[in-house]
Amino acid sequence: MSSYTAQMSSRDGRWVLYVALMGGGVSQWPEHDFGPGNVPTPAERSRALTGLGFVLTGGAEWEWTEYLERPDDDTSPVRLLASVQVCSRDGGLS
């Protein structure tokens, strides 16, 4: 069973969840747009992943990373990126 990395970040005030599939262009990655608002809950993220054909791998938990919008500029706004390991719901490539 192959595992993939799902990531979620805020883009232009909208939270977007996507699954990084190697071997294809970014434009082909499955994506769910939560729209503007608060950070989606774990349950909302799980439902979105299921809708995209993925589930969390056994024991996987969301991890948050902060990064600077402009690297090497410590006055730059901080952005958040959440990631988790997922696999296809049916065990194959989605």
Side-chain angles (χ1 to χ4, degrees):
M1 171 173 44
S2 297
S3 69
Y4 308 94
T5 300
Q7 295 183 321
M8 185 179 71
S9 61
S10 180
R11 189 185 313 156
D12 298 324
R14 303 175 71 84
W15 286 98
V16 178
L17 171 72
Y18 52 91
V19 179
L21 301 177
M22 297 300 117
V26 172
S27 64
Q28 297 176 355
W29 291 357
E31 182 177 290
H32 177 83
D33 186 334
F34 290 100
N38 294 330
V39 177
T41 66
E44 291 169 326
R45 294 178 233 158
S46 182
R47 284 192 299 272
L49 282 168
T50 298
L52 295 174
F54 295 89
V55 293
L56 299 182
T57 58
E61 294 184 17
W62 287 92
E63 296 181 15
W64 289 88
T65 304
E66 66 176 49
Y67 63 96
L68 297 175
E69 186 176 277
R70 292 181 305 276
D72 301 322
D73 178 356
D74 65 358
T75 64
S76 174
V78 172
R79 300 292 181 209
L80 293 173
L81 176 71
S83 60
V84 70
Q85 292 296 278
V86 298
C87 60
S88 174
R89 278 189 314 183
D90 62 9
L93 178 63
S94 282

Coordinates of all heavy atoms in Angstrom, one line a residue:
M1 N 0.9 -1.2 0.0 CA 0.0 0.0 0.0 C 0.9 1.2 0.0 O 1.8 1.4 0.8 CB -0.9 0.0 1.2 CG -1.7 1.2 1.4 SD -2.9 1.2 2.8 CE -2.1 0.4 4.1
S2 N 0.7 2.1 -0.9 CA 1.4 3.4 -1.0 C 0.9 4.4 -0.1 O -0.3 4.5 0.1 CB 1.4 3.9 -2.4 OG 2.0 3.0 -3.3
S3 N 1.8 5.2 0.5 CA 1.3 6.3 1.3 C 1.7 7.6 0.6 O 2.7 7.7 -0.2 CB 1.9 6.3 2.7 OG 3.3 6.5 2.7
Y4 N 1.0 8.7 0.9 CA 1.2 10.0 0.3 C 1.1 11.0 1.4 O 0.7 10.7 2.5 CB 0.1 10.3 -0.7 CG -0.1 9.2 -1.7 CD1 -1.0 8.1 -1.5 CD2 0.7 9.1 -2.9 CE1 -1.2 7.1 -2.5 CE2 0.6 8.1 -3.8 CZ -0.4 7.1 -3.6 OH -0.5 6.1 -4.5
T5 N 1.6 12.2 1.1 CA 1.5 13.3 2.1 C 0.3 14.2 1.7 O 0.3 14.7 0.5 CB 2.8 14.1 2.1 OG1 3.9 13.2 2.5 CG2 2.7 15.2 3.1
A6 N -0.6 14.4 2.6 CA -1.6 15.4 2.4 C -1.2 16.6 3.2 O -0.6 16.5 4.3 CB -3.0 14.9 3.0
Q7 N -1.4 17.8 2.6 CA -1.1 19.0 3.2 C -2.2 20.0 3.2 O -3.1 19.9 2.3 CB 0.2 19.7 2.5 CG 1.4 18.8 2.7 CD 2.6 19.4 2.1 OE1 2.6 20.0 1.0 NE2 3.7 19.3 2.8
M8 N -2.2 20.9 4.2 CA -3.3 21.9 4.2 C -2.6 23.2 4.6 O -1.8 23.3 5.5 CB -4.3 21.6 5.3 CG -5.5 22.5 5.3 SD -6.8 22.1 6.5 CE -5.9 22.5 8.0
S9 N -3.0 24.3 3.8 CA -2.4 25.6 4.1 C -3.5 26.6 3.7 O -4.5 26.3 3.1 CB -1.2 25.8 3.3 OG -1.4 25.8 1.9
S10 N -3.2 27.8 4.2 CA -4.1 28.9 3.9 C -3.6 29.7 2.7 O -2.4 30.1 2.7 CB -4.2 29.9 5.1 OG -5.1 31.0 4.8
R11 N -4.4 29.9 1.7 CA -4.0 30.6 0.5 C -5.1 31.7 0.2 O -6.2 31.4 0.0 CB -4.0 29.5 -0.7 CG -3.5 30.0 -2.0 CD -3.6 29.0 -3.1 NE -3.2 27.7 -2.8 CZ -3.6 26.6 -3.4 NH1 -4.5 26.7 -4.4 NH2 -3.2 25.4 -3.0
D12 N -4.6 32.9 0.2 CA -5.5 34.0 0.0 C -6.7 34.0 1.0 O -7.8 34.3 0.6 CB -6.0 34.1 -1.4 CG -4.9 34.3 -2.4 OD1 -3.9 35.0 -2.1 OD2 -4.9 33.7 -3.5
G13 N -6.4 33.6 2.3 CA -7.5 33.6 3.3 C -8.4 32.4 3.2 O -9.3 32.3 4.0
R14 N -8.1 31.4 2.3 CA -8.9 30.2 2.2 C -8.1 29.0 2.5 O -6.9 28.9 2.1 CB -9.4 30.1 0.7 CG -10.2 31.3 0.2 CD -10.5 31.1 -1.2 NE -11.5 30.1 -1.5 CZ -12.8 30.3 -1.4 NH1 -13.3 31.5 -1.0 NH2 -13.7 29.4 -1.6
W15 N -8.6 28.1 3.3 CA -7.9 26.9 3.7 C -8.1 25.9 2.6 O -9.2 25.6 2.1 CB -8.4 26.3 5.0 CG -7.9 27.1 6.1 CD1 -8.6 28.1 6.8 CD2 -6.6 27.1 6.7 NE1 -7.8 28.7 7.8 CE2 -6.5 28.0 7.7 CE3 -5.5 26.3 6.5 CZ2 -5.4 28.2 8.5 CZ3 -4.4 26.5 7.3 CH2 -4.3 27.5 8.3
V16 N -6.9 25.3 2.1 CA -6.9 24.3 1.0 C -6.2 23.1 1.4 O -5.1 23.2 2.0 CB -6.3 25.0 -0.3 CG1 -6.2 23.9 -1.4 CG2 -7.0 26.2 -0.7
L17 N -6.8 21.9 1.2 CA -6.2 20.6 1.5 C -5.9 20.0 0.1 O -6.7 20.0 -0.8 CB -7.2 19.8 2.2 CG -6.9 18.3 2.5 CD1 -5.8 18.2 3.5 CD2 -8.1 17.6 2.9
Y18 N -4.7 19.4 0.0 CA -4.3 18.7 -1.2 C -3.5 17.5 -0.9 O -2.9 17.4 0.2 CB -3.6 19.6 -2.2 CG -2.4 20.4 -1.5 CD1 -1.1 19.8 -1.6 CD2 -2.6 21.6 -0.9 CE1 -0.1 20.5 -1.0 CE2 -1.5 22.2 -0.3 CZ -0.3 21.7 -0.4 OH 0.8 22.3 0.2
V19 N -3.4 16.5 -1.8 CA -2.6 15.3 -1.7 C -1.5 15.4 -2.7 O -1.8 15.4 -3.9 CB -3.5 14.0 -1.8 CG1 -2.6 12.8 -1.6 CG2 -4.6 14.0 -0.7
A20 N -0.3 15.3 -2.3 CA 0.9 15.4 -3.2 C 1.1 14.0 -3.8 O 1.4 13.1 -3.1 CB 2.1 15.8 -2.5
L21 N 0.8 13.9 -5.1 CA 1.0 12.6 -5.8 C 2.3 12.8 -6.7 O 2.3 13.6 -7.6 CB -0.2 12.3 -6.7 CG -1.5 12.2 -6.0 CD1 -2.6 11.9 -7.0 CD2 -1.4 11.0 -5.0
M22 N 3.3 12.0 -6.4 CA 4.5 12.1 -7.2 C 4.2 11.5 -8.6 O 3.4 10.6 -8.8 CB 5.6 11.3 -6.6 CG 6.0 11.8 -5.2 SD 6.6 13.6 -5.3 CE 5.4 14.4 -4.4
G23 N 5.0 12.0 -9.6 CA 4.8 11.5 -11.0 C 3.8 12.3 -11.8 O 3.7 12.1 -13.0
G24 N 3.1 13.2 -11.2 CA 2.2 14.1 -11.9 C 2.4 15.5 -11.5 O 3.0 15.8 -10.5
G25 N 1.9 16.4 -12.3 CA 2.1 17.8 -12.1 C 1.2 18.3 -10.9 O 0.2 17.6 -10.6
V26 N 1.6 19.4 -10.3 CA 0.8 19.9 -9.2 C -0.7 20.1 -9.5 O -1.6 19.9 -8.7 CB 1.4 21.2 -8.7 CG1 0.6 21.9 -7.6 CG2 2.8 21.0 -8.1
S27 N -0.9 20.5 -10.8 CA -2.3 20.8 -11.2 C -3.1 19.5 -11.2 O -4.4 19.6 -11.3 CB -2.3 21.4 -12.6 OG -1.8 20.4 -13.6
Q28 N -2.5 18.3 -11.1 CA -3.3 17.1 -11.1 C -3.5 16.5 -9.7 O -4.1 15.5 -9.5 CB -2.6 16.0 -11.9 CG -2.5 16.4 -13.4 CD -1.7 15.4 -14.2 OE1 -1.1 14.5 -13.7 NE2 -1.7 15.6 -15.5
W29 N -3.0 17.2 -8.7 CA -3.1 16.8 -7.3 C -4.6 17.0 -6.8 O -5.2 18.0 -7.1 CB -2.2 17.6 -6.3 CG -0.8 17.3 -6.5 CD1 -0.2 16.4 -7.3 CD2 0.3 17.9 -5.8 NE1 1.2 16.4 -7.2 CE2 1.5 17.4 -6.3 CE3 0.4 18.9 -4.8 CZ2 2.8 17.7 -5.8 CZ3 1.6 19.3 -4.3 CH2 2.8 18.7 -4.8
P30 N -5.1 15.9 -6.2 CA -6.5 16.1 -5.6 C -6.5 17.2 -4.6 O -5.6 17.3 -3.8 CB -6.8 14.8 -5.0 CG -5.8 13.8 -5.5 CD -4.6 14.6 -5.9
E31 N -7.5 18.1 -4.7 CA -7.6 19.3 -3.8 C -9.0 19.5 -3.3 O -10.0 19.3 -4.0 CB -7.1 20.5 -4.6 CG -7.0 21.8 -3.9 CD -6.4 22.9 -4.8 OE1 -5.2 22.8 -5.1 OE2 -7.2 23.8 -5.2
H32 N -9.1 20.0 -2.1 CA -10.4 20.4 -1.5 C -10.2 21.9 -1.0 O -9.3 22.1 -0.2 CB -10.8 19.5 -0.4 CG -12.1 19.9 0.2 ND1 -13.3 19.6 -0.3 CD2 -12.3 20.6 1.4 CE1 -14.2 20.1 0.5 NE2 -13.6 20.8 1.5
D33 N -11.1 22.8 -1.4 CA -11.0 24.1 -0.9 C -12.1 24.3 0.2 O -13.3 24.1 -0.1 CB -11.3 25.1 -2.1 CG -11.2 26.5 -1.7 OD1 -11.3 26.9 -0.5 OD2 -10.9 27.3 -2.6
F34 N -11.7 24.6 1.4 CA -12.6 24.8 2.5 C -13.3 26.2 2.5 O -14.2 26.4 3.2 CB -11.9 24.6 3.9 CG -11.5 23.2 4.1 CD1 -10.2 22.7 3.9 CD2 -12.5 22.2 4.6 CE1 -9.9 21.4 4.2 CE2 -12.1 20.9 4.9 CZ -10.8 20.5 4.7
G35 N -12.7 27.1 1.7 CA -13.2 28.4 1.7 C -12.6 29.2 2.9 O -11.8 28.8 3.6
P36 N -13.0 30.5 3.0 CA -12.5 31.3 4.1 C -13.1 30.9 5.4 O -14.1 30.3 5.5 CB -13.0 32.7 3.7 CG -14.2 32.5 2.9 CD -14.0 31.2 2.2
G37 N -12.4 31.3 6.5 CA -12.9 31.0 7.8 C -11.8 30.4 8.7 O -10.6 30.5 8.4
N38 N -12.2 29.8 9.8 CA -11.3 29.2 10.8 C -10.6 28.0 10.2 O -11.1 27.4 9.2 CB -12.1 28.8 12.0 CG -12.7 30.0 12.7 OD1 -12.1 31.1 12.7 ND2 -13.8 29.8 13.4
V39 N -9.6 27.6 10.9 CA -8.9 26.3 10.5 C -9.9 25.2 10.6 O -10.6 25.0 11.6 CB -7.7 26.1 11.5 CG1 -7.0 24.8 11.1 CG2 -6.7 27.2 11.5
P40 N -10.0 24.4 9.5 CA -10.9 23.2 9.5 C -10.5 22.3 10.6 O -9.3 22.0 10.9 CB -10.7 22.6 8.1 CG -10.2 23.7 7.3 CD -9.3 24.6 8.2
T41 N -11.6 21.7 11.2 CA -11.4 20.7 12.3 C -10.8 19.4 11.8 O -10.9 19.2 10.6 CB -12.7 20.5 13.0 OG1 -13.6 19.8 12.1 CG2 -13.3 21.7 13.6
P42 N -10.2 18.6 12.7 CA -9.8 17.3 12.2 C -10.9 16.5 11.5 O -10.7 15.8 10.5 CB -9.3 16.6 13.5 CG -8.8 17.7 14.3 CD -9.8 18.8 14.1
A43 N -12.1 16.6 12.0 CA -13.3 15.8 11.4 C -13.5 16.4 10.0 O -13.8 15.6 9.1 CB -14.5 15.9 12.3
E44 N -13.5 17.7 9.8 CA -13.7 18.3 8.5 C -12.6 17.9 7.5 O -12.9 17.6 6.4 CB -13.8 19.8 8.6 CG -15.0 20.3 9.3 CD -14.9 21.8 9.7 OE1 -13.8 22.3 10.0 OE2 -16.0 22.5 9.7
R45 N -11.4 17.9 8.0 CA -10.3 17.4 7.2 C -10.4 16.0 6.8 O -10.2 15.6 5.6 CB -8.9 17.6 7.9 CG -8.6 19.1 8.2 CD -7.3 19.1 8.9 NE -7.5 20.0 10.1 CZ -6.8 20.0 11.2 NH1 -5.8 19.2 11.3 NH2 -7.1 20.8 12.2
S46 N -10.8 15.1 7.7 CA -11.0 13.7 7.4 C -12.1 13.5 6.4 O -11.9 12.7 5.4 CB -11.4 13.0 8.7 OG -11.5 11.6 8.5
R47 N -13.2 14.2 6.5 CA -14.3 14.1 5.5 C -13.8 14.6 4.1 O -14.1 14.0 3.1 CB -15.5 14.9 5.9 CG -16.3 14.3 7.0 CD -17.7 14.9 7.2 NE -17.6 16.3 7.6 CZ -17.5 16.8 8.9 NH1 -17.5 15.9 9.9 NH2 -17.4 18.0 9.2
A48 N -13.0 15.6 4.1 CA -12.5 16.1 2.8 C -11.6 15.1 2.2 O -11.6 14.8 1.0 CB -11.8 17.5 3.0
L49 N -10.7 14.5 3.0 CA -9.8 13.5 2.5 C -10.6 12.3 1.9 O -10.3 11.8 0.9 CB -8.8 13.0 3.6 CG -7.7 13.9 3.8 CD1 -6.9 13.5 5.1 CD2 -6.7 13.9 2.7
T50 N -11.6 11.9 2.7 CA -12.5 10.7 2.2 C -13.1 11.1 0.9 O -13.1 10.2 0.0 CB -13.5 10.4 3.3 OG1 -12.9 10.0 4.5 CG2 -14.4 9.3 2.8
G51 N -13.6 12.3 0.8 CA -14.2 12.8 -0.5 C -13.2 12.7 -1.7 O -13.5 12.6 -2.8
L52 N -11.9 12.9 -1.3 CA -10.8 12.9 -2.4 C -10.3 11.4 -2.6 O -9.5 11.2 -3.5 CB -9.6 13.7 -2.0 CG -9.9 15.2 -1.9 CD1 -8.7 16.0 -1.3 CD2 -10.3 15.8 -3.2
G53 N -10.8 10.5 -1.8 CA -10.4 9.1 -2.0 C -9.3 8.6 -1.1 O -8.7 7.6 -1.4
F54 N -9.0 9.3 0.0 CA -7.9 9.0 0.9 C -8.4 8.9 2.3 O -9.4 9.5 2.7 CB -6.8 10.1 0.8 CG -6.2 10.1 -0.6 CD1 -6.7 10.9 -1.6 CD2 -5.1 9.3 -0.9 CE1 -6.2 11.0 -2.8 CE2 -4.5 9.4 -2.2 CZ -5.1 10.2 -3.1
V55 N -7.6 8.2 3.1 CA -7.8 8.1 4.6 C -6.4 8.2 5.2 O -5.4 8.0 4.6 CB -8.4 6.8 5.0 CG1 -9.9 6.7 4.5 CG2 -7.6 5.6 4.5
L56 N -6.4 8.6 6.5 CA -5.2 8.7 7.3 C -4.6 7.3 7.4 O -5.3 6.3 7.6 CB -5.4 9.3 8.7 CG -6.0 10.7 8.8 CD1 -6.1 11.1 10.3 CD2 -5.1 11.7 8.0
T57 N -3.3 7.2 7.3 CA -2.6 5.9 7.5 C -2.7 5.6 9.0 O -2.9 6.5 9.9 CB -1.1 5.9 7.1 OG1 -0.4 6.9 7.8 CG2 -1.0 6.1 5.6
G58 N -2.6 4.4 9.4 CA -2.8 3.9 10.8 C -1.9 4.7 11.8 O -0.7 4.8 11.6
G59 N -2.5 5.4 12.7 CA -1.8 6.1 13.7 C -1.3 7.5 13.3 O -0.7 8.2 14.1
A60 N -1.5 7.9 12.1 CA -1.0 9.2 11.6 C -1.8 10.4 12.3 O -3.0 10.3 12.6 CB -1.2 9.3 10.1
E61 N -1.0 11.4 12.6 CA -1.5 12.6 13.2 C -1.1 13.8 12.4 O 0.0 13.8 11.9 CB -1.1 12.7 14.7 CG -1.6 11.6 15.6 CD -1.2 11.8 17.0 OE1 -0.8 13.0 17.4 OE2 -1.3 10.9 17.8
W62 N -1.9 14.8 12.4 CA -1.6 16.1 11.7 C -0.4 16.7 12.4 O -0.4 16.8 13.7 CB -2.7 17.0 11.7 CG -3.8 16.6 10.7 CD1 -4.9 15.8 11.0 CD2 -3.9 16.9 9.4 NE1 -5.6 15.6 9.9 CE2 -5.0 16.3 8.8 CE3 -3.1 17.7 8.5 CZ2 -5.4 16.4 7.5 CZ3 -3.4 17.8 7.2 CH2 -4.6 17.1 6.7
E63 N 0.6 17.2 11.7 CA 1.7 18.0 12.2 C 1.7 19.4 11.6 O 1.5 19.5 10.4 CB 3.0 17.3 11.8 CG 3.2 15.9 12.5 CD 4.5 15.2 12.1 OE1 5.4 15.9 11.6 OE2 4.6 14.0 12.4
W64 N 2.0 20.4 12.4 CA 2.0 21.7 11.9 C 3.4 22.3 11.9 O 4.2 22.1 12.8 CB 1.1 22.6 12.9 CG -0.3 22.3 12.7 CD1 -1.1 21.4 13.4 CD2 -1.3 23.0 11.9 NE1 -2.4 21.4 13.0 CE2 -2.5 22.4 12.0 CE3 -1.1 24.0 10.9 CZ2 -3.6 22.8 11.4 CZ3 -2.3 24.4 10.2 CH2 -3.5 23.8 10.5
T65 N 3.7 23.0 10.8 CA 5.0 23.7 10.6 C 4.7 25.1 10.3 O 3.8 25.4 9.6 CB 5.7 23.0 9.4 OG1 5.8 21.6 9.7 CG2 7.1 23.6 9.2
E66 N 5.5 26.0 10.9 CA 5.4 27.4 10.5 C 6.6 27.7 9.6 O 7.7 27.2 9.8 CB 5.3 28.3 11.7 CG 6.5 28.4 12.6 CD 6.4 29.4 13.7 OE1 5.3 29.4 14.4 OE2 7.3 30.2 13.9
Y67 N 6.4 28.6 8.7 CA 7.5 29.1 7.8 C 7.3 30.5 7.4 O 6.1 31.0 7.5 CB 7.6 28.2 6.5 CG 6.3 28.3 5.6 CD1 6.3 29.1 4.6 CD2 5.2 27.4 5.9 CE1 5.2 29.2 3.8 CE2 4.1 27.5 5.1 CZ 4.1 28.4 4.0 OH 3.0 28.4 3.2
L68 N 8.3 31.2 7.1 CA 8.3 32.6 6.7 C 7.8 32.7 5.3 O 8.3 32.0 4.4 CB 9.6 33.3 6.9 CG 10.2 33.3 8.3 CD1 11.6 33.9 8.3 CD2 9.2 34.1 9.2
E69 N 6.9 33.7 5.1 CA 6.4 33.9 3.7 C 7.6 34.3 2.8 O 7.7 33.9 1.7 CB 5.4 35.0 3.7 CG 4.7 35.3 2.4 CD 3.7 36.3 2.5 OE1 2.5 36.0 2.9 OE2 3.9 37.5 2.3
R70 N 8.5 35.1 3.4 CA 9.8 35.5 2.7 C 10.9 35.0 3.4 O 11.3 35.5 4.5 CB 9.8 37.0 2.6 CG 8.8 37.7 1.7 CD 8.9 39.2 1.6 NE 9.0 39.9 2.9 CZ 7.9 40.2 3.5 NH1 6.7 39.9 3.1 NH2 8.0 40.9 4.7
P71 N 11.5 33.9 3.0 CA 12.6 33.2 3.7 C 13.8 34.3 3.9 O 13.9 35.2 3.1 CB 13.1 32.1 2.7 CG 11.9 31.8 1.9 CD 11.2 33.1 1.7
D72 N 14.5 34.1 5.0 CA 15.6 35.0 5.3 C 15.2 36.4 5.7 O 16.0 37.3 5.7 CB 16.6 35.0 4.2 CG 17.2 33.6 3.9 OD1 17.4 32.8 4.8 OD2 17.4 33.4 2.7
D73 N 13.9 36.6 6.0 CA 13.4 37.9 6.5 C 12.6 37.6 7.7 O 11.4 37.2 7.7 CB 12.6 38.5 5.4 CG 12.0 39.9 5.8 OD1 12.2 40.3 7.0 OD2 11.3 40.5 5.0
D74 N 13.2 37.8 8.9 CA 12.5 37.5 10.1 C 11.4 38.4 10.5 O 10.7 38.2 11.5 CB 13.5 37.3 11.3 CG 14.2 38.6 11.7 OD1 14.0 39.6 11.0 OD2 15.0 38.6 12.6
T75 N 11.1 39.4 9.7 CA 10.0 40.3 9.9 C 8.8 39.9 9.0 O 7.7 40.5 9.0 CB 10.3 41.8 9.6 OG1 10.7 41.9 8.2 CG2 11.5 42.2 10.5
S76 N 9.0 38.8 8.2 CA 8.0 38.3 7.2 C 6.9 37.7 8.0 O 7.1 37.1 9.0 CB 8.7 37.3 6.3 OG 7.7 36.7 5.5
P77 N 5.7 37.8 7.4 CA 4.5 37.0 8.0 C 4.8 35.5 8.1 O 5.5 35.0 7.2 CB 3.4 37.3 7.1 CG 3.7 38.6 6.4 CD 5.2 38.5 6.2
V78 N 4.3 34.9 9.2 CA 4.5 33.5 9.3 C 3.3 32.8 8.7 O 2.1 33.2 8.9 CB 4.6 33.1 10.8 CG1 4.5 31.6 11.1 CG2 5.9 33.7 11.4
R79 N 3.5 31.7 8.0 CA 2.5 30.9 7.4 C 2.5 29.5 8.1 O 3.5 29.1 8.6 CB 2.7 30.7 5.9 CG 2.7 32.0 5.1 CD 1.3 32.6 5.1 NE 1.4 33.9 4.3 CZ 0.6 34.9 4.5 NH1 -0.3 34.8 5.5 NH2 0.6 35.9 3.8
L80 N 1.3 28.9 8.1 CA 1.2 27.6 8.7 C 0.9 26.5 7.6 O 0.1 26.7 6.7 CB 0.1 27.5 9.7 CG 0.3 28.4 11.0 CD1 -1.0 28.4 11.8 CD2 1.5 27.8 11.8
L81 N 1.5 25.3 7.8 CA 1.3 24.2 6.9 C 1.1 23.0 7.7 O 1.9 22.7 8.6 CB 2.6 24.0 6.0 CG 2.6 22.8 5.1 CD1 1.6 23.1 3.9 CD2 3.9 22.6 4.5
A82 N 0.0 22.3 7.5 CA -0.3 21.1 8.2 C 0.0 19.9 7.2 O -0.3 20.0 6.1 CB -1.7 21.1 8.7
S83 N 0.5 18.8 7.8 CA 0.7 17.6 6.9 C 0.4 16.4 7.7 O 0.5 16.3 8.9 CB 2.1 17.6 6.4 OG 3.1 17.6 7.4
V84 N 0.0 15.3 6.9 CA -0.3 14.0 7.5 C -0.1 13.0 6.4 O -0.2 13.3 5.2 CB -1.7 14.0 8.0 CG1 -2.8 14.0 6.9 CG2 -1.9 12.8 9.0
Q85 N 0.2 11.8 6.8 CA 0.4 10.7 5.9 C -1.0 10.0 5.6 O -1.8 9.8 6.5 CB 1.3 9.6 6.4 CG 2.8 10.1 6.5 CD 3.3 10.4 5.1 OE1 3.7 9.5 4.4 NE2 3.3 11.7 4.7
V86 N -1.3 9.8 4.3 CA -2.6 9.2 3.9 C -2.3 8.0 2.9 O -1.2 7.9 2.4 CB -3.5 10.2 3.3 CG1 -3.8 11.4 4.2 CG2 -2.9 10.8 2.0
C87 N -3.3 7.3 2.7 CA -3.3 6.2 1.7 C -4.6 6.2 1.0 O -5.6 6.8 1.5 CB -2.9 4.9 2.3 SG -4.1 4.3 3.5
S88 N -4.7 5.6 -0.1 CA -6.0 5.5 -0.8 C -7.0 4.7 0.0 O -6.6 3.7 0.6 CB -5.7 4.8 -2.2 OG -6.9 4.6 -2.9
R89 N -8.2 5.1 -0.1 CA -9.3 4.3 0.6 C -9.3 2.9 0.2 O -9.6 2.0 1.0 CB -10.7 5.0 0.4 CG -10.9 6.2 1.2 CD -12.4 6.6 1.1 NE -12.8 6.6 -0.3 CZ -13.9 7.0 -0.8 NH1 -14.9 7.3 0.1 NH2 -14.2 7.0 -2.0
D90 N -9.1 2.6 -1.1 CA -9.2 1.2 -1.6 C -7.9 0.5 -1.6 O -7.8 -0.6 -2.1 CB -9.9 1.2 -2.9 CG -9.1 1.9 -4.0 OD1 -8.0 2.3 -3.8 OD2 -9.7 2.1 -5.1
G91 N -6.8 1.1 -1.1 CA -5.5 0.5 -1.1 C -4.7 0.8 -2.4 O -3.5 0.4 -2.4
G92 N -5.3 1.3 -3.4 CA -4.6 1.6 -4.7 C -4.4 3.0 -4.8 O -4.7 3.8 -4.0
L93 N -3.8 3.4 -6.0 CA -3.6 4.8 -6.3 C -4.9 5.5 -6.6 O -5.7 5.0 -7.3 CB -2.7 5.0 -7.5 CG -2.4 6.4 -8.0 CD1 -1.6 7.2 -6.9 CD2 -1.5 6.4 -9.2
S94 N -5.2 6.6 -5.9 CA -6.4 7.4 -6.2 C -6.2 8.3 -7.4 O -5.1 8.7 -7.7 CB -6.8 8.2 -5.0 OG -7.4 7.4 -4.1

